[in-house]
Amino acid sequence: MIQQREQLAREIIDAGRFLYGRGWSPATSSNYSVRLSDSRLLLTVSGKHKGQLELDDILATDLDGTPLEAKKPSAETALHTQLYRWQPEIGAVLHTHSVNSTVLSRQLEGDRLLLDGYELQKALHGVTTHEVRVEIPVFDNDQDIPRLADKVQTWLDVHPDCVGYLIRGHGLYTWGPRMTDALRHVEAFEFLFECELK
């Protein structure tokens, strides 16, 4: 279990360096997590620079977000735990704060972004053709995280194939069975968001 924990923590650390390097997780913004077991996850602690994460910057919580170590979890922990409870096959969740996702979410007038006709849509889990419309919900930013989590869950209950959402003026949440899947989603979404902006 200790070896598995360290390996998964290093996946978070490596993801942080990659996402910071691409400019998608500046400074202390963003938070990342991986599933450790059926009832536990590993999550970045609050307030750490994501390009400089170390093993001590990762903590374990239960699926209610209760820390299992004497460290401070992200204020948005509930948005991670919600996803792990919703779909047991989710193994990693990434939340980023890129310029593309922030600006695009502020420019959209409605409550969703529609992607249609892009070849790179096929990088998203479950999408096999560019001839499909991908809906990305956009939620208004809210400091009341449980209330925001309720809104997200209402959407997910009706759209179980969803693999990501935007928070207006804030950033992207996406996930996948493994960290590599979640990273692929971030990269694909960032390309698609930039295309939409241009």
Side-chain angles (χ1 to χ4, degrees), residues 22-78:
R22 295 299 297 265
W24 299 334
S25 288
T28 60
S29 71
S30 307
N31 40 72
Y32 322 129
S33 65
V34 294
R35 187 185 293 275
L36 181 60
S37 69
D38 290 343
S39 60
R40 295 182 178 194
L41 62 104
L42 295 178
L43 178 78
T44 48
V45 299
S46 179
K48 293 294 182 173
H49 191 291
K50 299 309 181 293
Q52 301 169 5
L53 291 172
E54 298 180 3
L55 287 174
D56 198 46
D57 298 326
I58 313 297
L59 80 153
T61 76
D62 63 20
L63 290 190
D64 292 322
T66 304
L68 303 175
E69 303 167 28
K71 301 176 188 178
K72 182 182 178 184
S74 164
E76 297 170 22
T77 298

Side-chain angles (χ1 to χ4, degrees), residues 104-122:
L104 182 59
S105 68
R106 287 175 55 94
Q107 288 184 345
L108 294 167
E109 293 182 6
D111 62 357
R112 66 196 69 189
L113 167 66
L114 300 176
L115 301 171
D116 188 11
Y118 292 109
E119 182 69 13
L120 203 63
Q121 290 172 195
K122 295 192 297 186

